[in-house]
Amino acid sequence: MYIKNQFVRHQLVLHLLEQEGYETITTSSNQDEILLWRKMNRMTNIVRISLKQFDWARELDHSIEQIEKNVSKNLQLPLFQKEVNFHHVCIADYVPVDNWQQHKASNIKAIDHTYVYIWASDQDEQFARFFKNAGMKHPLSFSIPEQPMELEQHAQYLKQRIDHIDYQAKKEVADVFNKAKPILSYVLIAINIVVFVLLEWMGGSTDPDTLIKFGAKYNPAMMEGEWWRVVSSMFLHIGVFHIGLNMMALYFVGTLVERIFGNYRFIIIYFLAGISGGIASFAFNANVAAGASGALFGLFGALLLFGLKNPKIFFKTIGMNVIFLVILNIIFGFSIQQVDNGAHLGGLIGGFLAAGAVQLPSMRKSWKQILFLFGYLVYSFGLLYYGIQNDQIQYNETVQIQHIQQLIEAEQYQKVAESASQSLPHAEEYQAELLFYRSFANIQLGNYKKAEKDLEAAVEKKPRFEEALYNLALIYQQEQKLSEALEISKKLLDLDQDNSTYQSLYKELTKTTS
């Protein structure tokens, strides 16, 4: 009887694989259990075909509960499924002695319906019920050989066909994930670590000036033509936690993408995603920024494209983990102010488009590649244009004050005046400081009237602004407005009566006006 049951099981499994589009999930070591599944029209049917004999309904119930629990725990079901049904097909010598058909509904949340069928003593109506519930499109018809030897030979032949189909399916998955050895991922990790050590040695990876010097994304410099920072910033990281997290992601995600897409496709995706992420950061984030996050999110984008091209393999292997990580990182980014969401989302979209431009090794189609490349170029240049026009970001008062201080150190006073003028219309908190810096630049350029006007406006906005008051007093003194200068010197002493510079100015002005 066991050989007969095997023959029937093999016929059913082969029919599901060849005619109905099912795939094997697992087989037990003794071949008594086979799990298959099929996703169609937002409905997933999972089929368990068992040769185990159940004497009592409670044994069957316990077996069903254990199998469904294990499957729901280990199987990555596709997202947005309308219905998930579990079909338990038992091919046995006889049915349980009690009422097995009163099986209770599944208590597993992921499973909507549980169906049980027991084929025993040629009860073909059980297969008919199974085919109807599972929505099969093709009927199953076979005859069972009467001679034991012939039956065994046919069963063995069917098993070989099943094993071959299963082998080909596994080989297809293995081939997808082994297009190349992940050499370039390791090279990128090594370069990033070397650059990080150099940063720490030359001033510290958390020091803004050191980051800017080594090529971090710095909007004021990029607006002056240093667009190479979009690439160089990909190799800089801010602190040990930052590089540790990114290199871990590059080790796991980078090597996976390189295995799927191949070496040169991987490096193209990595750099194009990093560039689009850097441009997005330039467009939406005024602060100094660095890191490989844009490129890494681009690798997630490449995996999403892979999922669209190979949904069965994607969801059977890495799909749910990839989608979960993308959603988690996006939520994390919007929850923490310091995270550069522009770079993350910009890299994600850029990586998706870049992956479409290079395509998977086995799916090269020139017209699709051209379309994706065109989309990438429109997307990136659109971001760049928006970023250049986004004055609120490019003339952010905090960043511009930092930039102005660097220009003063370089004695580029004309640029100081220009930067302050461009930033003032967008300033809210630091208008007085910007006016002061512009006045300082105009003093150095000999434009004393302009400096006087800016200093007057600065102290009007910030009456206790000592540096502005002092410089204004000096200008008044130079222009022989001695009474105004004396009045300001008195204010300075009220603010800081122990300041020797203020005391000297007050004494000098008192003597001059007396």
Side-chain angles (χ1 to χ4, degrees), residues 182-197:
I183 299 170
L184 296 178
S185 298
Y186 301 136
V187 171
L188 287 171
I189 291 172
I191 293 173
N192 277 281
I193 292 174
V194 169
V195 172
F196 180 77
V197 172

Side-chain angles (χ1 to χ4, degrees), residues 335-355:
S335 302
I336 298 179
Q337 190 174 2
Q338 291 81 6
V339 173
D340 192 348
N341 282 308
H344 290 182
L345 295 177
L348 180 70
I349 298 170
F352 180 85
L353 295 172

Side-chain angles (χ1 to χ4, degrees), residues 50 88-89 115 170 172 181 211 262 315 342 427 473 501:
S50 175
H88 297 264
V89 182
Y115 300 97
K170 290 176 180 177
E172 181 185 1
K181 292 183 179 180
L211 288 166
F315 284 107
T501 303

Side-chain angles (χ1 to χ4, degrees), residues 106 163 213 240 281 314 360 501:
S106 174
D163 290 344
K213 179 182 177 182
V240 175
S281 178
F314 180 71
L360 290 160
T501 303

